[in-house]
Amino acid sequence: MSRALFLHAAGDARIAPYNLREGRADEILLDVAAVGLCGSDLHYYKDGGIGAAAIREPFIPGHEFSGWLTEDLPEQGLGRGALVAVDPNHACGHCAHCRAGHANLCPNVVFIGAPPYDGAMTERIWVPKELVVPVPQDFTPADAVMLEPLGVAIHAVDLARPRLLERVALLGCGPIGLLILQVLRVAGAGEVLACDPLSHRQQLARNLGAARVGASVEEIVEWTAGEGTPLVIEATNAPEGFRDAVRAARIGGRMVLVGIPDGDSYTLPASEARRRGLNIKFSRRMGHVYPRAIELVATGKVDVGAVVSHSFALADAPEAFRRHAANAPGMVKSIIYPQPDKMPA
Ligand SMILES: [Zn+2]
Ligand SMILES: [Zn+2]
């Protein structure tokens, strides 16, 4: 028997026991050390799905996770008990997109923690051995969890290709936005003008090096005397995120959309976008980013801990969903710890 958090429908998260399935020969069993609550998990909770990916039967979310190996993994030189991260994206490896190097766009993907595939908000999980990512053994379980969202940020900045000292508008200072902010600085971008409606997130963005931080895109427009910035990165959950990104962009500018909008639709006045002649990219998940994510954390160039605001035991995970969905004060990133005896102090 194992316990897990099940999402049954919008607004319905429950902890329940279940029988762990049998593993396959290409899998290894992990004791889950820590799991991140991601904005996409929250979309499943708030909306009951993301576009066509809807909850049809109760499923276990959780794609950002770390765990301890329950047996040796000689293929990777790892022993039983080693802390590892897991890349949740099990691409097919043989479709045209995988072969072109875009495993993040594979239409045949088995993504751990996206319906119908169960995720890691549970005590134990079988994962394909090839998805196990070794991490430095001085990493905490939360550090290893944060490699996945950090990978999303690295991928977004890879797509954005900031020029040296280029001014950037950053919309949204949630966990992904705050990680993008830090990666932009490592990548040599110039001033980052950020906005977020929540004051505690504004303060974090200031602490992490944003040049100016406001509550809305109007302030970014004002700071640039109405011109906008040459590069805009959008990491909000708002249907207006696309529109606001357009408003923050200079004529001929570049834009990368990372956020997932509530309700799965954008609000966008076409003329505003068209008249600027923008170059727009949509970012999905990530490419081959784990080695760089590990190096950024190991060298201290990115402070993933600064983004983590709350820790919850698995039993309290439904409460974590409730608080995030309600935008409770101070919530940024929550980490869930499924082993009650191994919660950090
Ligand atoms: Zn995520
Ligand atoms: Zn594929």
Side-chain angles (χ1 to χ4, degrees):
M1 277 304 230
S2 191
R3 283 185 322 147
L5 177 134
F6 289 88
L7 290 181
H8 288 250
D12 186 356
R14 308 177 204 168
I15 302 293
Y18 72 108
N19 284 316
L20 191 68
R21 67 172 172 83
E22 290 292 312
R24 296 185 304 263
D26 65 339
E27 292 183 316
I28 188 164
L29 184 64
L30 302 186
D31 286 324
V32 179
V35 199
L37 198 165
C38 172
S40 62
D41 302 322
L42 206 56
H43 277 293
Y44 291 115
Y45 179 76
K46 290 198 294 190
D47 299 343
I50 301 176
I55 303 174
R56 297 189 203 287
E57 51 189 279
F59 101 107
I60 306 172
H63 56 275
E64 309 170 349
F65 62 105
S66 59
W68 293 287
L69 298 179
T70 60
E71 55 182 307
D72 293 346
L73 185 56
E75 296 92 322
Q76 299 226 39
L78 295 167
R80 182 199 156 109
L83 178 73
V84 298
V86 178
D87 179 350
N89 194 84
H90 196 197
C92 78
H94 53 72
C95 72
H97 312 289
C98 282
R99 286 201 205 168
H102 303 298
N104 58 319
L105 304 179
C106 174
N108 312 317
V109 68
V110 174
F111 195 87
I112 300 174
Y117 308 108
D118 282 333
M121 288 194 190
T122 179
E123 292 163 334
R124 309 182 96 193
I125 187 171
W126 287 98
V127 298
K129 290 177 185 173
E130 62 181 277
L131 300 184
V132 168
V133 179
V135 299
Q137 291 303 300
D138 61 346
F139 272 30
T140 65
D143 289 339
V145 164
M146 292 303 289
L147 296 174
E148 203 274 349
L150 177 55
V152 170
I154 293 171
H155 184 63
V157 174
D158 279 351
L159 293 176
R161 294 171 145 260
R163 301 193 177 103
L164 186 64
L165 299 184
E166 186 174 43
R167 211 179 201 193
V168 185
L170 174 65
L171 278 51
C173 301
I176 298 292
L178 293 168
L179 292 169
I180 288 172
L181 167 62
Q182 297 185 64
V183 176
L184 279 171
R185 288 166 55 79
V186 177
E191 281 188 332
V192 177
L193 311 180
C195 67
D196 193 289
L198 302 176
S199 60
H200 66 276
R201 296 187 175 200
Q202 294 165 13
Q203 189 53 49
L204 269 176
R206 278 182 209 107
N207 299 348
L208 292 170
R212 305 179 86 159
V213 188
S216 78
V217 73
E218 310 310 331
E219 284 157 88
I220 295 178
V221 172
E222 200 181 298
W223 297 329
T224 60
E227 271 207 11
T229 61
L231 177 61
V232 181
I233 303 185
E234 187 274 348
T236 78
N237 59 0
E240 302 78 25
F242 200 165
R243 179 199 70 190
D244 289 352
V246 167
R247 289 186 178 163
R250 200 171 74 181
I251 291 170
R254 285 132 50 228
M255 178 191 302
V256 177
L257 293 160
V258 188
I260 301 176
D262 286 341
D264 198 42
S265 286
Y266 283 122
T267 308
L268 175 68
S271 60
E272 288 191 44
R274 199 180 61 250
R275 287 173 189 158
R276 284 176 169 83
L278 301 174
N279 194 327
I280 300 169
K281 286 182 181 166
F282 289 86
S283 186
R284 172 155 170 86
R285 294 173 177 161
M286 64 179 94
H288 182 63
V289 294
Y290 276 92
R292 285 181 292 160
I294 290 168
E295 186 171 337
L296 287 173
V297 175
T299 57
K301 287 179 175 155
V302 167
D303 181 357
V304 288
V307 175
V308 176
S309 61
H310 291 78
S311 301
F312 290 89
L314 181 62
D316 301 323
E319 175 63 17
F321 275 86
R322 268 192 291 281
R323 282 205 226 167
H324 278 279
N327 271 333
M331 303 304 280
V332 184
K333 182 78 182 176
S334 288
I335 304 283
I336 293 159
Y337 292 90
Q339 317 291 337
D341 52 326
K342 289 180 181 159
M343 281 273 293

PDB file of all heavy atoms in Angstrom, residues 261-277:
ATOM      1  N   PRO A 261      -2.319  30.180 -19.573  1.00  0.00           N
ATOM      2  CA  PRO A 261      -3.392  31.069 -19.100  1.00  0.00           C
ATOM      3  C   PRO A 261      -4.546  30.305 -18.465  1.00  0.00           C
ATOM      4  O   PRO A 261      -4.932  29.249 -18.956  1.00  0.00           O
ATOM      5  CB  PRO A 261      -3.842  31.779 -20.388  1.00  0.00           C
ATOM      6  CG  PRO A 261      -3.531  30.806 -21.479  1.00  0.00           C
ATOM      7  CD  PRO A 261      -2.296  30.041 -21.036  1.00  0.00           C
ATOM      8  N   ASP A 262      -5.100  30.859 -17.392  1.00  0.00           N
ATOM      9  CA  ASP A 262      -6.332  30.320 -16.804  1.00  0.00           C
ATOM     10  C   ASP A 262      -7.383  30.233 -17.899  1.00  0.00           C
ATOM     11  O   ASP A 262      -7.552  31.166 -18.687  1.00  0.00           O
ATOM     12  CB  ASP A 262      -6.853  31.262 -15.698  1.00  0.00           C
ATOM     13  CG  ASP A 262      -6.017  31.169 -14.426  1.00  0.00           C
ATOM     14  OD1 ASP A 262      -5.296  30.169 -14.256  1.00  0.00           O
ATOM     15  OD2 ASP A 262      -6.074  32.106 -13.615  1.00  0.00           O
ATOM     16  N   GLY A 263      -8.091  29.111 -17.955  1.00  0.00           N
ATOM     17  CA  GLY A 263      -9.172  28.965 -18.930  1.00  0.00           C
ATOM     18  C   GLY A 263      -8.711  28.609 -20.328  1.00  0.00           C
ATOM     19  O   GLY A 263      -9.527  28.447 -21.226  1.00  0.00           O
ATOM     20  N   ASP A 264      -7.382  28.533 -20.547  1.00  0.00           N
ATOM     21  CA  ASP A 264      -6.822  28.087 -21.827  1.00  0.00           C
ATOM     22  C   ASP A 264      -7.126  28.997 -23.019  1.00  0.00           C
ATOM     23  O   ASP A 264      -7.080  28.551 -24.163  1.00  0.00           O
ATOM     24  CB  ASP A 264      -7.272  26.649 -22.137  1.00  0.00           C
ATOM     25  CG  ASP A 264      -6.392  25.992 -23.204  1.00  0.00           C
ATOM     26  OD1 ASP A 264      -5.173  26.177 -23.133  1.00  0.00           O
ATOM     27  OD2 ASP A 264      -6.934  25.318 -24.092  1.00  0.00           O
ATOM     28  N   SER A 265      -7.421  30.263 -22.784  1.00  0.00           N
ATOM     29  CA  SER A 265      -7.590  31.189 -23.914  1.00  0.00           C
ATOM     30  C   SER A 265      -6.894  32.508 -23.600  1.00  0.00           C
ATOM     31  O   SER A 265      -6.852  32.937 -22.448  1.00  0.00           O
ATOM     32  CB  SER A 265      -9.071  31.486 -24.161  1.00  0.00           C
ATOM     33  OG  SER A 265      -9.684  30.386 -24.751  1.00  0.00           O
ATOM     34  N   TYR A 266      -6.362  33.130 -24.653  1.00  0.00           N
ATOM     35  CA  TYR A 266      -5.755  34.457 -24.505  1.00  0.00           C
ATOM     36  C   TYR A 266      -6.712  35.531 -24.986  1.00  0.00           C
ATOM     37  O   TYR A 266      -7.535  35.300 -25.878  1.00  0.00           O
ATOM     38  CB  TYR A 266      -4.486  34.561 -25.346  1.00  0.00           C
ATOM     39  CG  TYR A 266      -3.286  33.864 -24.767  1.00  0.00           C
ATOM     40  CD1 TYR A 266      -2.620  32.875 -25.477  1.00  0.00           C
ATOM     41  CD2 TYR A 266      -2.781  34.227 -23.514  1.00  0.00           C
ATOM     42  CE1 TYR A 266      -1.500  32.244 -24.965  1.00  0.00           C
ATOM     43  CE2 TYR A 266      -1.657  33.601 -22.997  1.00  0.00           C
ATOM     44  CZ  TYR A 266      -1.023  32.610 -23.725  1.00  0.00           C
ATOM     45  OH  TYR A 266       0.083  32.012 -23.211  1.00  0.00           O
ATOM     46  N   THR A 267      -6.536  36.716 -24.430  1.00  0.00           N
ATOM     47  CA  THR A 267      -7.240  37.901 -24.905  1.00  0.00           C
ATOM     48  C   THR A 267      -6.199  38.752 -25.622  1.00  0.00           C
ATOM     49  O   THR A 267      -5.224  39.148 -25.008  1.00  0.00           O
ATOM     50  CB  THR A 267      -7.768  38.711 -23.695  1.00  0.00           C
ATOM     51  OG1 THR A 267      -8.493  37.828 -22.875  1.00  0.00           O
ATOM     52  CG2 THR A 267      -8.633  39.858 -24.146  1.00  0.00           C
ATOM     53  N   LEU A 268      -6.383  38.977 -26.910  1.00  0.00           N
ATOM     54  CA  LEU A 268      -5.334  39.696 -27.638  1.00  0.00           C
ATOM     55  C   LEU A 268      -5.924  40.565 -28.741  1.00  0.00           C
ATOM     56  O   LEU A 268      -6.451  40.055 -29.723  1.00  0.00           O
ATOM     57  CB  LEU A 268      -4.357  38.691 -28.264  1.00  0.00           C
ATOM     58  CG  LEU A 268      -3.276  39.312 -29.149  1.00  0.00           C
ATOM     59  CD1 LEU A 268      -2.303  40.130 -28.315  1.00  0.00           C
ATOM     60  CD2 LEU A 268      -2.524  38.231 -29.917  1.00  0.00           C
ATOM     61  N   PRO A 269      -5.842  41.897 -28.601  1.00  0.00           N
ATOM     62  CA  PRO A 269      -6.233  42.755 -29.718  1.00  0.00           C
ATOM     63  C   PRO A 269      -5.222  42.566 -30.862  1.00  0.00           C
ATOM     64  O   PRO A 269      -4.027  42.845 -30.697  1.00  0.00           O
ATOM     65  CB  PRO A 269      -6.146  44.169 -29.137  1.00  0.00           C
ATOM     66  CG  PRO A 269      -6.002  43.997 -27.658  1.00  0.00           C
ATOM     67  CD  PRO A 269      -5.358  42.658 -27.449  1.00  0.00           C
ATOM     68  N   ALA A 270      -5.692  42.075 -32.001  1.00  0.00           N
ATOM     69  CA  ALA A 270      -4.780  41.694 -33.082  1.00  0.00           C
ATOM     70  C   ALA A 270      -3.950  42.858 -33.592  1.00  0.00           C
ATOM     71  O   ALA A 270      -2.751  42.718 -33.860  1.00  0.00           O
ATOM     72  CB  ALA A 270      -5.592  41.076 -34.221  1.00  0.00           C
ATOM     73  N   SER A 271      -4.589  44.023 -33.723  1.00  0.00           N
ATOM     74  CA  SER A 271      -3.854  45.137 -34.343  1.00  0.00           C
ATOM     75  C   SER A 271      -2.645  45.534 -33.514  1.00  0.00           C
ATOM     76  O   SER A 271      -1.599  45.882 -34.065  1.00  0.00           O
ATOM     77  CB  SER A 271      -4.782  46.328 -34.532  1.00  0.00           C
ATOM     78  OG  SER A 271      -5.276  46.741 -33.270  1.00  0.00           O
ATOM     79  N   GLU A 272      -2.779  45.460 -32.187  1.00  0.00           N
ATOM     80  CA  GLU A 272      -1.640  45.869 -31.352  1.00  0.00           C
ATOM     81  C   GLU A 272      -0.428  44.987 -31.629  1.00  0.00           C
ATOM     82  O   GLU A 272       0.707  45.452 -31.645  1.00  0.00           O
ATOM     83  CB  GLU A 272      -2.007  45.773 -29.874  1.00  0.00           C
ATOM     84  CG  GLU A 272      -2.968  46.846 -29.437  1.00  0.00           C
ATOM     85  CD  GLU A 272      -3.102  46.891 -27.917  1.00  0.00           C
ATOM     86  OE1 GLU A 272      -2.074  46.818 -27.222  1.00  0.00           O
ATOM     87  OE2 GLU A 272      -4.237  46.980 -27.440  1.00  0.00           O
ATOM     88  N   ALA A 273      -0.676  43.714 -31.835  1.00  0.00           N
ATOM     89  CA  ALA A 273       0.431  42.791 -32.088  1.00  0.00           C
ATOM     90  C   ALA A 273       0.950  42.973 -33.510  1.00  0.00           C
ATOM     91  O   ALA A 273       2.159  43.041 -33.747  1.00  0.00           O
ATOM     92  CB  ALA A 273      -0.038  41.351 -31.875  1.00  0.00           C
ATOM     93  N   ARG A 274       0.024  43.049 -34.466  1.00  0.00           N
ATOM     94  CA  ARG A 274       0.421  43.107 -35.875  1.00  0.00           C
ATOM     95  C   ARG A 274       1.223  44.362 -36.184  1.00  0.00           C
ATOM     96  O   ARG A 274       2.228  44.319 -36.863  1.00  0.00           O
ATOM     97  CB  ARG A 274      -0.834  43.027 -36.737  1.00  0.00           C
ATOM     98  CG  ARG A 274      -0.597  42.635 -38.175  1.00  0.00           C
ATOM     99  CD  ARG A 274      -1.875  42.566 -38.964  1.00  0.00           C
ATOM    100  NE  ARG A 274      -2.558  43.859 -39.012  1.00  0.00           N
ATOM    101  CZ  ARG A 274      -3.704  44.131 -38.391  1.00  0.00           C
ATOM    102  NH1 ARG A 274      -4.304  43.201 -37.687  1.00  0.00           N
ATOM    103  NH2 ARG A 274      -4.259  45.318 -38.467  1.00  0.00           N
ATOM    104  N   ARG A 275       0.772  45.495 -35.658  1.00  0.00           N
ATOM    105  CA  ARG A 275       1.440  46.755 -35.976  1.00  0.00           C
ATOM    106  C   ARG A 275       2.858  46.822 -35.453  1.00  0.00           C
ATOM    107  O   ARG A 275       3.656  47.619 -35.922  1.00  0.00           O
ATOM    108  CB  ARG A 275       0.621  47.930 -35.432  1.00  0.00           C
ATOM    109  CG  ARG A 275      -0.632  48.161 -36.241  1.00  0.00           C
ATOM    110  CD  ARG A 275      -1.529  49.203 -35.614  1.00  0.00           C
ATOM    111  NE  ARG A 275      -2.812  49.233 -36.328  1.00  0.00           N
ATOM    112  CZ  ARG A 275      -3.936  49.693 -35.810  1.00  0.00           C
ATOM    113  NH1 ARG A 275      -3.952  50.168 -34.576  1.00  0.00           N
ATOM    114  NH2 ARG A 275      -5.044  49.685 -36.511  1.00  0.00           N
ATOM    115  N   ARG A 276       3.159  46.002 -34.466  1.00  0.00           N
ATOM    116  CA  ARG A 276       4.532  46.005 -33.946  1.00  0.00           C
ATOM    117  C   ARG A 276       5.442  45.047 -34.729  1.00  0.00           C
ATOM    118  O   ARG A 276       6.639  45.018 -34.519  1.00  0.00           O
ATOM    119  CB  ARG A 276       4.532  45.615 -32.470  1.00  0.00           C
ATOM    120  CG  ARG A 276       4.065  46.719 -31.541  1.00  0.00           C
ATOM    121  CD  ARG A 276       4.022  46.176 -30.120  1.00  0.00           C
ATOM    122  NE  ARG A 276       3.833  47.189 -29.102  1.00  0.00           N
ATOM    123  CZ  ARG A 276       2.652  47.697 -28.745  1.00  0.00           C
ATOM    124  NH1 ARG A 276       1.553  47.292 -29.347  1.00  0.00           N
ATOM    125  NH2 ARG A 276       2.572  48.585 -27.788  1.00  0.00           N
ATOM    126  N   GLY A 277       4.888  44.231 -35.567  1.00  0.00           N
ATOM    127  CA  GLY A 277       5.723  43.298 -36.345  1.00  0.00           C
ATOM    128  C   GLY A 277       6.552  42.395 -35.458  1.00  0.00           C
ATOM    129  O   GLY A 277       7.745  42.176 -35.694  1.00  0.00           O
TER     130      GLY A 277
END
